[in-house]
């Protein structure tokens, strides 16, 4: 996994202006603190840096993090800590399940346009439906009580109809 990450990942580049600001802000803050005798306000730091305070706000809420960093408050034991990579994977899984649900709804809607025998042949052959596995052509023919060439013709007609409907 680590080799794949090294081979196929790309570093994230921080814009030069942000990087410069990250380096300059602590020094400016320390200088102002020494001059004012108190902790400087963000508006004063922004003015000294010569940037709008909104840019300083964005900079202060920007952080560099590793995918292996633990998420705050996830757990005290190191073995059960959530990492940013775990959260990214969960979001990806949620997105995929949402896409799969949308795809299944569209497929179900398209299957409603097929004649019953074509629909059943397609469901049997490709495992469309509630957790079914795809079957061989001989098994499809036996389940429909037709010969294999007839089952093949039913499948071809079903696929042709679905392609025509999805092109619309």
């Amino acid at each position: 996994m680590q080799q794949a990450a090294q081979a196929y990942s790309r570093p994230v580049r921080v814009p030069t202006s942000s990087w410069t600001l990250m380096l300059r802000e602590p020094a400016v803050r320390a200088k102002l603190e020494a001059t004012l005798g108190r902790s400087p306000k963000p508006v004063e730091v922004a003015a000294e840096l010569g940037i709008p305070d909104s840019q300083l706000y964005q900079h202060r809420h920007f952080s560099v993090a590793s995918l292996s960093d633990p998420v705050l408050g996830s757990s005290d034991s190191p073995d059960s800590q959530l990492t940013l990579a775990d959260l990214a994977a969960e979001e990806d899984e949620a997105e995929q399940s949402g896409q799969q649900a949308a795809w299944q709804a569209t497929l179900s809607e398209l299957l409603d346009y097929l004649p019953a025998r074509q629909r059943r042949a397609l469901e049997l052959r490709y495992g469309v439906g509630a957790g079914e596995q795809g079957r061989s052509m001989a098994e499809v023919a036996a389940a429909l009580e037709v010969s294999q060439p007839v089952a093949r013709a039913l499948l071809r007609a079903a696929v042709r109809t679905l392609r025509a409907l999805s092109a619309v």
Side-chain angles (χ1 to χ4, degrees):
M1 178 87 164
Q2 195 172 18
Q3 286 178 335
Q6 289 173 350
Y8 297 108
S9 65
R10 295 185 190 141
V12 175
R13 304 278 184 216
V14 177
T16 305
S17 59
S18 296
W19 185 252
T20 305
L21 188 58
M22 284 172 44
L23 296 175
R24 286 183 51 215
E25 185 200 357
V28 167
R29 187 174 297 283
K31 176 184 161 194
L32 283 173
E33 193 168 322
T35 305
L36 299 172
R38 61 175 169 77
S39 185
K41 296 178 181 176
V43 176
E44 296 168 333
V45 174
E48 185 70 24
L49 287 168
I51 61 171
D53 21 329
S54 62
Q55 186 178 351
L56 182 64
Y57 176 81
Q58 289 174 346
H59 160 71
R60 294 179 100 197
H61 290 85
F62 167 80
S63 64
V64 178
S66 169
L67 288 177
S68 60
D69 287 347
V71 176
L72 293 176
S74 63
S75 177
D76 292 334
S77 86
D79 294 336
S80 62
Q81 284 185 336
L82 275 176
T83 63
L84 294 174
D86 295 333
L87 293 178
E90 287 174 9
E91 288 177 11
D92 191 39
E93 288 171 10
E95 183 179 323
Q96 285 178 355
S97 67
Q99 289 173 347
Q100 186 175 4
W103 179 84
Q104 285 176 338
T106 302
L107 180 62
S108 177
E109 191 176 306
L110 287 172
L111 290 176
D112 288 340
Y113 287 97
L114 294 176
R117 284 179 56 176
Q118 288 180 8
R119 179 184 179 134
R120 187 67 186 140
L122 203 65
E123 290 172 343
L124 290 169
R125 179 68 172 145
Y126 299 109
V128 178
E132 290 187 31
Q133 293 289 328
R135 298 186 188 181
S136 68
M137 191 59 73
E139 292 172 326
V140 171
L144 294 174
E145 299 177 350
V146 295
S147 65
Q148 285 188 33
V150 171
R152 196 171 290 112
L154 287 169
L155 283 168
R156 261 196 310 264
V159 169
R160 190 173 30 252
T161 303
L162 288 177
R163 283 185 180 148
L165 287 172
S166 65
V168 172

